Amino acid sequence: VWLNTAHQGALPVRAAEAAATAVRWKQAPHCLTGDRFHDIPERLRARLGGLLSVPPDEVILANSSSYGLHLIVEGFPWRQGDEVLLVRGDFPSTTLPWRRLQEEGVRLRFLEPSGGHLQASEVDAAIGRHTRLLCTTWVHSFTGHTVDVTAVGAVCRARGVAFVLNASQGVGARPLRPLELPVDAVTGVGSKWLCGPYGTGFCWLTPAFRDRLRCRRTNWLSLYTVADLEGDCTPDLPDHLRARDLDLFSTANFFNFLPWIAALEVLESSGLEAIAERDQGLVQRILDGLPRASYRLLSPAAGPLRSTLVFLTHRDPRRTPGLYARLTDAGIDVSLRRGHLRVSPHLYNTEQDIDRVLEALAGGA
Ligand SMILES: Cc1ncc(COP(=O)(O)O)c(C=O)c1O
């Protein structure tokens, strides 16, 4: 029983078939046609654009959420003395990329949310004269709390601070429409709630934010088609940075991107609203069936802060690691994170899966 999508999403059958197709193409390389080199990235961009309700040509193709954050670290016009706000205890993908900036005189300041999760008022109080950017995860990997993006982003906009969101633990489990939110950049990993292979991800930047970046990566596949190679390909660089100019290199990444396209089509055919409803129904079943006399729920029980990451602990916390071992022995996969159990169901889980974990928890109470 896989109840650990916060670690890895399961690849849908259709996506596994697409992966097999990509392997066959490579076994018979004449199948790797020029058209396919061009089409695969564009089909993926279209799927991601649809999923996020953004124009596909604003989507950057990546291999992780870290990739997009590094683009911003590299390209943002930093000045000596600038400050970046981060959140203490956040997942390292969200905090690590900025560390190198300290060598360039950029200060990192870690917010310590008093209630355990980031509040807009705390962001407002923390922003100072030199604050240029705030980066946080949307859904916290170790608490299951969801950041109120509208409230935090509104503060950032009002104070002229760029707002960068790592949406990895939420995107795919519920709708995310960046154009309707006060965010400048969104990054995400593909291998969790988006059910893609490991080594997939995306980044979306507002065109205005992208224009501020100084990166100039020149990847031949983003400039030319295979047919263009007939010409002399004089390096005429675009004077305007497009999203595709920031794509991961080897963009026609057949083994990963062909199955990811298929996985995204599966999500799209269900619809993110319906997936969110289903996932939240599974979360509710865990909360309703949890033997409260023995266990404490640590993640939000209801409301907009609740996510699909459910954190539990035994009332005697010393017993939680033993319970984790008990679940593993019973063939039930959850995570043990910072001493607590993390159960994270997604669309392929059934009510029976939830009942199995509840039975095992009751048995170990
Ligand atoms: C919030 C968050 N971001 C990112 C990742 C994965 O990192 P990356 O996308 O850089 O591989 C994880 C993985 O657990 C995560 O919890």
Side-chain angles (χ1 to χ4, degrees), residues 6-8 63-67 69 90-94 137-142 166-170 187-192 198-201 309 337 342:
H7 169 40
Q8 287 291 318
N63 59 2
S64 59
S65 58
S66 301
Y67 179 85
L69 298 179
D90 218 337
F91 193 83
S93 298
T94 310
T137 51
W138 184 24
V139 172
H140 199 294
S141 316
F142 307 124
N166 174 0
S168 295
Q169 290 290 13
T187 67
V189 70
S191 56
K192 298 183 190 291
Y198 182 72
T200 53
L309 278 59
R337 289 285 184 270
R342 184 181 69 189

Side-chain angles (χ1 to χ4, degrees), residues 48 52 61 69-70 100 164 168 186 238:
L48 288 166
L52 298 167
L61 304 180
L69 298 179
H70 277 281
R100 196 178 52 80
V164 178
S168 295
V186 176

Side-chain angles (χ1 to χ4, degrees), residues 145-266:
H145 275 89
T146 308
V147 166
D148 182 344
V149 175
T150 306
V152 169
V155 166
C156 290
R157 282 271 153 96
R159 307 285 302 273
V161 169
F163 183 27
V164 178
L165 189 70
N166 174 0
S168 295
Q169 290 290 13
V171 66
R174 58 159 84 175
L176 176 70
R177 296 188 192 87
L179 289 179
E180 295 171 16
L181 295 167
V183 288
D184 296 288
V186 176
T187 67
V189 70
S191 56
K192 298 183 190 291
W193 304 92
L194 294 175
C195 298
Y198 182 72
T200 53
F202 72 87
C203 176
W204 171 84
L205 310 173
T206 64
F209 188 70
R210 189 174 70 230
D211 281 347
R212 294 174 73 189
L213 301 188
R214 291 202 201 103
C215 324
R216 288 290 184 273
R217 297 185 168 213
T218 31
N219 174 18
W220 72 271
L221 251 184
S222 78
L223 289 181
Y224 306 116
T225 64
V226 174
D228 290 335
L229 300 181
E230 293 308 310
D232 69 355
C233 296
T234 319
D236 258 344
L237 296 181
D239 45 12
H240 182 75
L241 187 66
R242 302 164 302 173
R244 55 186 295 122
D245 298 321
L246 297 172
D247 281 348
L248 179 80
F249 295 167
S250 300
T251 323
N253 179 342
F254 300 105
F255 285 2
N256 272 352
F257 284 177
L258 200 61
W260 197 23
I261 291 167
L264 293 171
E265 284 168 354
V266 170

